[in-house]
PDB file of all heavy atoms in Angstrom:
ATOM      1  N   GLY A 275       0.735  -3.924  24.399  1.00 90.00           N
ATOM      2  CA  GLY A 275       0.070  -4.265  25.661  1.00 90.00           C
ATOM      3  C   GLY A 275      -1.303  -4.285  25.549  1.00 90.00           C
ATOM      4  O   GLY A 275      -2.101  -4.081  26.636  1.00 90.00           O
ATOM      5  N   ILE A 276      -1.946  -4.429  24.395  1.00 90.00           N
ATOM      6  CA  ILE A 276      -3.447  -4.382  24.202  1.00 90.00           C
ATOM      7  C   ILE A 276      -4.023  -5.771  24.736  1.00 90.00           C
ATOM      8  O   ILE A 276      -5.151  -5.804  25.241  1.00 90.00           O
ATOM      9  CB  ILE A 276      -3.784  -4.063  22.776  1.00 90.00           C
ATOM     10  CG1 ILE A 276      -3.334  -2.745  22.518  1.00 90.00           C
ATOM     11  CG2 ILE A 276      -5.297  -4.137  22.629  1.00 90.00           C
ATOM     12  CD1 ILE A 276      -3.538  -2.310  20.997  1.00 90.00           C
ATOM     13  N   VAL A 277      -3.256  -6.857  24.573  1.00 88.00           N
ATOM     14  CA  VAL A 277      -3.666  -8.094  25.096  1.00 88.00           C
ATOM     15  C   VAL A 277      -2.561  -8.716  26.045  1.00 88.00           C
ATOM     16  O   VAL A 277      -1.338  -8.153  25.847  1.00 88.00           O
ATOM     17  CB  VAL A 277      -3.981  -9.126  24.006  1.00 88.00           C
ATOM     18  CG1 VAL A 277      -5.184  -8.643  23.155  1.00 88.00           C
ATOM     19  CG2 VAL A 277      -2.785  -9.433  23.144  1.00 88.00           C
ATOM     20  N   GLY A 278      -2.948  -9.576  26.875  1.00 82.00           N
ATOM     21  CA  GLY A 278      -1.972 -10.130  27.804  1.00 82.00           C
ATOM     22  C   GLY A 278      -1.076 -11.065  26.953  1.00 82.00           C
ATOM     23  O   GLY A 278      -0.873 -11.091  25.857  1.00 82.00           O
ATOM     24  N   ASP A 279      -0.463 -12.002  27.778  1.00 81.00           N
ATOM     25  CA  ASP A 279       0.420 -12.984  27.174  1.00 81.00           C
ATOM     26  C   ASP A 279      -0.273 -13.819  26.115  1.00 81.00           C
ATOM     27  O   ASP A 279      -1.344 -14.299  26.385  1.00 81.00           O
ATOM     28  CB  ASP A 279       1.072 -13.833  28.295  1.00 81.00           C
ATOM     29  CG  ASP A 279       2.035 -13.123  29.195  1.00 81.00           C
ATOM     30  OD1 ASP A 279       2.427 -12.045  28.786  1.00 81.00           O
ATOM     31  OD2 ASP A 279       2.289 -13.572  30.362  1.00 81.00           O
ATOM     32  N   LEU A 280       0.338 -13.915  25.031  1.00 84.00           N
ATOM     33  CA  LEU A 280      -0.045 -14.781  24.014  1.00 84.00           C
ATOM     34  C   LEU A 280       0.947 -16.063  23.790  1.00 84.00           C
ATOM     35  O   LEU A 280       2.132 -15.770  24.204  1.00 84.00           O
ATOM     36  CB  LEU A 280      -0.148 -14.079  22.547  1.00 84.00           C
ATOM     37  CG  LEU A 280      -1.234 -13.111  22.383  1.00 84.00           C
ATOM     38  CD1 LEU A 280      -0.979 -12.299  21.095  1.00 84.00           C
ATOM     39  CD2 LEU A 280      -2.596 -13.696  22.513  1.00 84.00           C
ATOM     40  N   PRO A 281       0.421 -17.111  23.503  1.00 86.00           N
ATOM     41  CA  PRO A 281       1.332 -18.228  23.280  1.00 86.00           C
ATOM     42  C   PRO A 281       2.287 -17.939  22.187  1.00 86.00           C
ATOM     43  O   PRO A 281       1.945 -17.180  21.329  1.00 86.00           O
ATOM     44  CB  PRO A 281       0.535 -19.418  23.010  1.00 86.00           C
ATOM     45  CG  PRO A 281      -0.711 -18.831  22.505  1.00 86.00           C
ATOM     46  CD  PRO A 281      -0.935 -17.531  23.232  1.00 86.00           C
ATOM     47  N   GLU A 282       3.374 -18.636  22.069  1.00 86.00           N
ATOM     48  CA  GLU A 282       4.157 -18.499  20.844  1.00 86.00           C
ATOM     49  C   GLU A 282       3.469 -18.900  19.626  1.00 86.00           C
ATOM     50  O   GLU A 282       2.807 -19.784  19.510  1.00 86.00           O
ATOM     51  CB  GLU A 282       5.514 -19.373  21.000  1.00 86.00           C
ATOM     52  CG  GLU A 282       6.496 -19.176  19.996  1.00 86.00           C
ATOM     53  CD  GLU A 282       7.082 -17.792  19.972  1.00 86.00           C
ATOM     54  OE1 GLU A 282       7.128 -17.170  21.180  1.00 86.00           O
ATOM     55  OE2 GLU A 282       7.550 -17.183  19.008  1.00 86.00           O
ATOM     56  N   LEU A 283       3.453 -17.931  18.662  1.00 87.00           N
ATOM     57  CA  LEU A 283       2.627 -18.206  17.414  1.00 87.00           C
ATOM     58  C   LEU A 283       3.444 -18.954  16.504  1.00 87.00           C
ATOM     59  O   LEU A 283       4.491 -18.695  16.090  1.00 87.00           O
ATOM     60  CB  LEU A 283       2.291 -16.753  16.847  1.00 87.00           C
ATOM     61  CG  LEU A 283       1.363 -15.885  17.668  1.00 87.00           C
ATOM     62  CD1 LEU A 283       1.195 -14.499  17.097  1.00 87.00           C
ATOM     63  CD2 LEU A 283       0.055 -16.554  18.108  1.00 87.00           C
ATOM     64  N   THR A 284       2.736 -20.016  16.024  1.00 90.00           N
ATOM     65  CA  THR A 284       3.361 -20.881  14.859  1.00 90.00           C
ATOM     66  C   THR A 284       3.428 -20.079  13.548  1.00 90.00           C
ATOM     67  O   THR A 284       2.590 -19.369  13.286  1.00 90.00           O
ATOM     68  CB  THR A 284       2.557 -22.076  14.709  1.00 90.00           C
ATOM     69  OG1 THR A 284       3.186 -23.029  13.784  1.00 90.00           O
ATOM     70  CG2 THR A 284       1.130 -21.961  14.372  1.00 90.00           C
ATOM     71  N   ALA A 285       4.373 -20.571  12.757  1.00 88.00           N
ATOM     72  CA  ALA A 285       4.468 -20.043  11.438  1.00 88.00           C
ATOM     73  C   ALA A 285       3.771 -20.833  10.449  1.00 88.00           C
ATOM     74  O   ALA A 285       3.888 -20.673   9.257  1.00 88.00           O
ATOM     75  CB  ALA A 285       5.791 -19.607  11.042  1.00 88.00           C
ATOM     76  N   ASN A 286       3.281 -21.922  10.936  1.00 91.00           N
ATOM     77  CA  ASN A 286       2.699 -23.031   9.993  1.00 91.00           C
ATOM     78  C   ASN A 286       1.220 -22.803   9.786  1.00 91.00           C
ATOM     79  O   ASN A 286       0.424 -22.942  10.703  1.00 91.00           O
ATOM     80  CB  ASN A 286       2.959 -24.384  10.616  1.00 91.00           C
ATOM     81  CG  ASN A 286       4.325 -24.832  10.564  1.00 91.00           C
ATOM     82  OD1 ASN A 286       5.276 -24.235   9.829  1.00 91.00           O
ATOM     83  ND2 ASN A 286       4.868 -25.655  11.433  1.00 91.00           N
ATOM     84  N   LEU A 287       0.800 -22.599   8.519  1.00 91.00           N
ATOM     85  CA  LEU A 287      -0.671 -22.606   8.211  1.00 91.00           C
ATOM     86  C   LEU A 287      -0.937 -24.057   7.533  1.00 91.00           C
ATOM     87  O   LEU A 287      -0.218 -24.426   6.728  1.00 91.00           O
ATOM     88  CB  LEU A 287      -0.877 -21.516   7.156  1.00 91.00           C
ATOM     89  CG  LEU A 287      -2.275 -21.601   6.522  1.00 91.00           C
ATOM     90  CD1 LEU A 287      -3.541 -21.373   7.446  1.00 91.00           C
ATOM     91  CD2 LEU A 287      -2.414 -20.673   5.365  1.00 91.00           C
ATOM     92  N   ARG A 288      -1.997 -24.594   8.052  1.00 92.00           N
ATOM     93  CA  ARG A 288      -2.270 -25.984   7.715  1.00 92.00           C
ATOM     94  C   ARG A 288      -3.554 -25.929   6.861  1.00 92.00           C
ATOM     95  O   ARG A 288      -4.490 -25.512   7.248  1.00 92.00           O
ATOM     96  CB  ARG A 288      -2.506 -26.835   8.955  1.00 92.00           C
ATOM     97  CG  ARG A 288      -1.256 -27.038   9.806  1.00 92.00           C
ATOM     98  CD  ARG A 288      -1.595 -27.805  11.178  1.00 92.00           C
ATOM     99  NE  ARG A 288      -0.437 -27.655  12.012  1.00 92.00           N
ATOM    100  CZ  ARG A 288       0.586 -28.373  11.994  1.00 92.00           C
ATOM    101  NH1 ARG A 288       0.647 -29.388  11.120  1.00 92.00           N
ATOM    102  NH2 ARG A 288       1.701 -28.224  12.777  1.00 92.00           N
ATOM    103  N   GLN A 289      -3.353 -26.429   5.676  1.00 91.00           N
ATOM    104  CA  GLN A 289      -4.570 -26.614   4.669  1.00 91.00           C
ATOM    105  C   GLN A 289      -4.568 -28.026   4.298  1.00 91.00           C
ATOM    106  O   GLN A 289      -3.632 -28.808   4.436  1.00 91.00           O
ATOM    107  CB  GLN A 289      -4.343 -25.627   3.458  1.00 91.00           C
ATOM    108  CG  GLN A 289      -4.446 -24.189   3.780  1.00 91.00           C
ATOM    109  CD  GLN A 289      -4.240 -23.264   2.652  1.00 91.00           C
ATOM    110  OE1 GLN A 289      -3.545 -23.548   1.704  1.00 91.00           O
ATOM    111  NE2 GLN A 289      -4.814 -22.016   2.738  1.00 91.00           N
ATOM    112  N   PHE A 290      -5.773 -28.385   3.537  1.00 90.00           N
ATOM    113  CA  PHE A 290      -5.839 -29.783   3.172  1.00 90.00           C
ATOM    114  C   PHE A 290      -6.352 -29.826   1.750  1.00 90.00           C
ATOM    115  O   PHE A 290      -6.990 -29.016   1.246  1.00 90.00           O
ATOM    116  CB  PHE A 290      -6.878 -30.563   4.140  1.00 90.00           C
ATOM    117  CG  PHE A 290      -6.422 -30.748   5.578  1.00 90.00           C
ATOM    118  CD1 PHE A 290      -6.524 -29.702   6.406  1.00 90.00           C
ATOM    119  CD2 PHE A 290      -5.800 -32.037   5.817  1.00 90.00           C
ATOM    120  CE1 PHE A 290      -6.074 -29.914   7.761  1.00 90.00           C
ATOM    121  CE2 PHE A 290      -5.294 -32.184   7.052  1.00 90.00           C
ATOM    122  CZ  PHE A 290      -5.461 -31.138   8.066  1.00 90.00           C
ATOM    123  N   GLN A 291      -5.968 -30.876   1.083  1.00 89.00           N
ATOM    124  CA  GLN A 291      -6.368 -31.102  -0.261  1.00 89.00           C
ATOM    125  C   GLN A 291      -6.597 -32.685  -0.445  1.00 89.00           C
ATOM    126  O   GLN A 291      -6.048 -33.402   0.280  1.00 89.00           O
ATOM    127  CB  GLN A 291      -5.257 -30.722  -1.283  1.00 89.00           C
ATOM    128  CG  GLN A 291      -3.996 -31.468  -1.062  1.00 89.00           C
ATOM    129  CD  GLN A 291      -2.795 -30.886  -2.014  1.00 89.00           C
ATOM    130  OE1 GLN A 291      -2.955 -29.774  -2.553  1.00 89.00           O
ATOM    131  NE2 GLN A 291      -1.825 -31.625  -2.294  1.00 89.00           N
ATOM    132  N   VAL A 292      -7.456 -32.926  -1.393  1.00 89.00           N
ATOM    133  CA  VAL A 292      -7.844 -34.276  -1.796  1.00 89.00           C
ATOM    134  C   VAL A 292      -6.798 -34.843  -2.798  1.00 89.00           C
ATOM    135  O   VAL A 292      -6.550 -34.324  -3.742  1.00 89.00           O
ATOM    136  CB  VAL A 292      -9.194 -34.374  -2.313  1.00 89.00           C
ATOM    137  CG1 VAL A 292      -9.463 -35.878  -2.625  1.00 89.00           C
ATOM    138  CG2 VAL A 292     -10.220 -33.871  -1.416  1.00 89.00           C
ATOM    139  N   GLN A 293      -6.221 -35.978  -2.337  1.00 84.00           N
ATOM    140  CA  GLN A 293      -5.220 -36.671  -3.145  1.00 84.00           C
ATOM    141  C   GLN A 293      -5.650 -38.102  -3.395  1.00 84.00           C
ATOM    142  O   GLN A 293      -5.599 -38.882  -2.637  1.00 84.00           O
ATOM    143  CB  GLN A 293      -3.788 -36.760  -2.365  1.00 84.00           C
ATOM    144  CG  GLN A 293      -2.773 -37.239  -3.200  1.00 84.00           C
ATOM    145  CD  GLN A 293      -2.253 -36.346  -4.455  1.00 84.00           C
ATOM    146  OE1 GLN A 293      -2.691 -35.171  -4.502  1.00 84.00           O
ATOM    147  NE2 GLN A 293      -1.256 -36.763  -5.154  1.00 84.00           N
ATOM    148  N   GLY A 294      -6.317 -38.339  -4.525  1.00 85.00           N
ATOM    149  CA  GLY A 294      -6.873 -39.649  -4.784  1.00 85.00           C
ATOM    150  C   GLY A 294      -8.100 -39.803  -3.901  1.00 85.00           C
ATOM    151  O   GLY A 294      -9.091 -39.155  -3.908  1.00 85.00           O
ATOM    152  N   ASP A 295      -8.063 -40.924  -3.043  1.00 86.00           N
ATOM    153  CA  ASP A 295      -9.182 -41.136  -2.083  1.00 86.00           C
ATOM    154  C   ASP A 295      -8.833 -40.743  -0.662  1.00 86.00           C
ATOM    155  O   ASP A 295      -9.426 -41.231   0.228  1.00 86.00           O
ATOM    156  CB  ASP A 295      -9.557 -42.701  -2.233  1.00 86.00           C
ATOM    157  CG  ASP A 295      -8.416 -43.553  -1.909  1.00 86.00           C
ATOM    158  OD1 ASP A 295      -7.209 -42.980  -1.684  1.00 86.00           O
ATOM    159  OD2 ASP A 295      -8.571 -44.775  -1.813  1.00 86.00           O
ATOM    160  N   HIS A 296      -7.873 -39.911  -0.467  1.00 90.00           N
ATOM    161  CA  HIS A 296      -7.596 -39.580   0.835  1.00 90.00           C
ATOM    162  C   HIS A 296      -7.316 -38.003   0.933  1.00 90.00           C
ATOM    163  O   HIS A 296      -6.999 -37.447  -0.032  1.00 90.00           O
ATOM    164  CB  HIS A 296      -6.442 -40.388   1.439  1.00 90.00           C
ATOM    165  CG  HIS A 296      -5.000 -40.137   0.753  1.00 90.00           C
ATOM    166  ND1 HIS A 296      -4.753 -40.670  -0.365  1.00 90.00           N
ATOM    167  CD2 HIS A 296      -4.043 -39.311   1.189  1.00 90.00           C
ATOM    168  CE1 HIS A 296      -3.479 -40.285  -0.812  1.00 90.00           C
ATOM    169  NE2 HIS A 296      -3.023 -39.464   0.169  1.00 90.00           N
ATOM    170  N   TYR A 297      -7.392 -37.479   2.137  1.00 91.00           N
ATOM    171  CA  TYR A 297      -7.082 -36.124   2.388  1.00 91.00           C
ATOM    172  C   TYR A 297      -5.584 -35.829   2.790  1.00 91.00           C
ATOM    173  O   TYR A 297      -5.091 -36.662   3.599  1.00 91.00           O
ATOM    174  CB  TYR A 297      -7.921 -35.531   3.431  1.00 91.00           C
ATOM    175  CG  TYR A 297      -9.459 -35.503   3.079  1.00 91.00           C
ATOM    176  CD1 TYR A 297     -10.290 -36.501   3.310  1.00 91.00           C
ATOM    177  CD2 TYR A 297      -9.804 -34.486   2.149  1.00 91.00           C
ATOM    178  CE1 TYR A 297     -11.637 -36.540   3.007  1.00 91.00           C
ATOM    179  CE2 TYR A 297     -11.293 -34.516   1.785  1.00 91.00           C
ATOM    180  CZ  TYR A 297     -12.013 -35.484   2.109  1.00 91.00           C
ATOM    181  OH  TYR A 297     -13.336 -35.484   1.724  1.00 91.00           O
ATOM    182  N   GLU A 298      -5.055 -34.931   2.186  1.00 91.00           N
ATOM    183  CA  GLU A 298      -3.582 -34.697   2.373  1.00 91.00           C
ATOM    184  C   GLU A 298      -3.383 -33.329   3.103  1.00 91.00           C
ATOM    185  O   GLU A 298      -3.949 -32.389   2.567  1.00 91.00           O
ATOM    186  CB  GLU A 298      -2.863 -34.812   1.070  1.00 91.00           C
ATOM    187  CG  GLU A 298      -1.375 -34.540   1.155  1.00 91.00           C
ATOM    188  CD  GLU A 298      -0.699 -34.681  -0.231  1.00 91.00           C
ATOM    189  OE1 GLU A 298      -0.638 -33.673  -0.912  1.00 91.00           O
ATOM    190  OE2 GLU A 298      -0.306 -35.798  -0.597  1.00 91.00           O
ATOM    191  N   GLN A 299      -2.602 -33.238   4.102  1.00 91.00           N
ATOM    192  CA  GLN A 299      -2.270 -32.088   4.859  1.00 91.00           C
ATOM    193  C   GLN A 299      -1.216 -31.250   4.076  1.00 91.00           C
ATOM    194  O   GLN A 299      -0.172 -31.906   3.795  1.00 91.00           O
ATOM    195  CB  GLN A 299      -1.869 -32.258   6.241  1.00 91.00           C
ATOM    196  CG  GLN A 299      -1.529 -30.950   7.022  1.00 91.00           C
ATOM    197  CD  GLN A 299      -1.219 -31.338   8.522  1.00 91.00           C
ATOM    198  OE1 GLN A 299      -1.721 -30.700   9.319  1.00 91.00           O
ATOM    199  NE2 GLN A 299      -0.392 -32.304   8.628  1.00 91.00           N
ATOM    200  N   VAL A 300      -1.354 -30.032   3.887  1.00 92.00           N
ATOM    201  CA  VAL A 300      -0.285 -29.165   3.299  1.00 92.00           C
ATOM    202  C   VAL A 300       0.012 -28.145   4.250  1.00 92.00           C
ATOM    203  O   VAL A 300      -0.957 -27.259   4.817  1.00 92.00           O
ATOM    204  CB  VAL A 300      -0.830 -28.531   1.902  1.00 92.00           C
ATOM    205  CG1 VAL A 300       0.219 -27.689   1.339  1.00 92.00           C
ATOM    206  CG2 VAL A 300      -1.315 -29.508   0.925  1.00 92.00           C
ATOM    207  N   ILE A 301       1.325 -27.951   4.619  1.00 93.00           N
ATOM    208  CA  ILE A 301       1.790 -27.107   5.576  1.00 93.00           C
ATOM    209  C   ILE A 301       2.484 -25.907   4.888  1.00 93.00           C
ATOM    210  O   ILE A 301       3.471 -26.245   4.081  1.00 93.00           O
ATOM    211  CB  ILE A 301       2.650 -27.643   6.570  1.00 93.00           C
ATOM    212  CG1 ILE A 301       1.782 -28.712   7.346  1.00 93.00           C
ATOM    213  CG2 ILE A 301       3.162 -26.609   7.585  1.00 93.00           C
ATOM    214  CD1 ILE A 301       2.628 -29.423   8.402  1.00 93.00           C
TER     215      ILE A 301
END
Side-chain angles (χ1 to χ4, degrees):
I276 297 173
V277 297
D279 291 338
L280 288 172
E282 189 63 30
L283 299 176
T284 179
N286 293 338
L287 170 65
R288 300 172 189 276
Q289 295 180 328
F290 289 84
Q291 64 186 17
V292 177
Q293 183 77 2
D295 59 355
H296 66 279
Y297 294 98
E298 182 178 88
Q299 181 178 227
V300 179
I301 298 178

